[in-house]
Amino acid sequence: MSLPNITLISFGFFEQDFLEQIAKAVQAEFDFTVNIREGRIELGEYYDPARRQYNGNTLISIVDSMTFPESNKILGLFNVDLFIPILTYIFGQAYLNGKSGIASIYRLSNERYGMPKDEQILLDRTKKEVIHELGHTFGLIHCDNPICVMRSSTYLEDVDQKRQNLCHNCKTKLEIIF
């Protein structure tokens, strides 16, 4: 039997080191092998000109339709402003107990908020968001623990306040799943 596997698909340009550090964090948290792949889709058809954003619901369905026989879970990483119809914006989303999720670094960078560029902060926030969305694919719901990576993040400050790890309760729930 092969080891459980997660595939991280980059849509757009990301430094290889950035992707490798995210993969390393995901592997450490879930104890799965993580593969990095490059994805190509024409994003224009998912752009909503009225909102000037990209529809997360349609992008996640595209990622979900991709198949990698070796992968148990797939996460698409983007650098575009995502929304779903009921929210102004999202950092990411995932199918609860599904195989797929998406995340975007667009609203995770300091520059978006008039602060100085900080690659380490961007990397830390992205790790949290990717691990959070993958947690949903494993059936984990939002956690009340303020430092758990599964805590809901409506604002950037919410992302910054939590750690990139599952709390004891979420880790226990994950172990029960496996």
Side-chain angles (χ1 to χ4, degrees):
M1 182 176 177
S2 64
L3 289 173
N5 190 298
I6 295 171
T7 297
L8 179 63
I9 310 168
S10 66
F11 293 96
F13 178 76
F14 294 94
E15 294 284 342
Q16 189 63 27
D17 183 59
F18 183 82
L19 295 171
E20 288 172 3
Q21 289 187 59
I22 293 167
K24 185 177 178 182
V26 168
Q27 186 169 355
E29 194 59 31
F30 294 107
D31 199 25
F32 274 39
T33 301
V34 180
N35 294 321
I36 300 169
R37 293 185 179 249
E38 198 173 304
R40 298 206 191 286
I41 57 174
E42 178 52 52
L43 285 173
E45 61 188 274
Y46 308 105
Y47 183 72
D48 184 322
R51 291 184 69 138
R52 296 188 308 209
Q53 294 174 295
Y54 294 82
N55 190 321
N57 288 337
T58 53
L59 286 175
I60 194 172
S61 67
I62 294 300
V63 171
D64 194 58
S65 72
M66 297 178 166
T67 56
F68 301 97
E70 75 280 5
S71 288
N72 302 78
K73 305 292 179 184
I74 302 169
L75 187 120
L77 186 62
F78 295 87
N79 186 10
V80 295
D81 196 11
L82 299 174
F83 79 95
I84 57 174
I86 62 168
L87 294 174
T88 306
Y89 65 88
I90 57 172
F91 299 121
Q93 70 175 350
Y95 291 133
L96 188 63
N97 283 317
K99 74 167 187 170
S100 304
I102 60 173
S104 177
I105 67 168
Y106 184 86
R107 288 186 179 258
L108 298 176
S109 66
N110 272 355
E111 308 90 284
R112 197 73 48 216
Y113 306 93
M115 296 182 288
K117 183 175 184 172
D118 190 319
E119 290 297 325
Q120 188 58 52
I121 288 175
L122 176 62
L123 176 62
D124 292 345
R125 289 172 178 160
T126 305
K127 288 176 186 177
K128 292 173 190 180
E129 186 56 35
V130 168
I131 290 168
H132 177 95
E133 298 307 338
L134 285 167
H136 286 317
T137 68
F138 287 110
L140 297 176
I141 59 172
H142 287 151
C143 180
D144 291 332
N145 185 327
I147 61 170
C148 179
V149 74
M150 290 310 297
R151 175 94 189 241
S152 178
S153 296
T154 305
Y155 304 105
L156 198 59
E157 295 82 6
D158 300 328
V159 177
D160 290 341
Q161 289 173 359
K162 62 187 180 180
R163 295 185 182 151
Q164 74 179 35
N165 307 101
L166 299 168
C167 69
H168 175 73
N169 288 342
C170 287
K171 193 72 130 170
T172 301
K173 290 175 188 171
L174 193 63
E175 288 169 2
I176 291 169
I177 294 167
F178 298 125

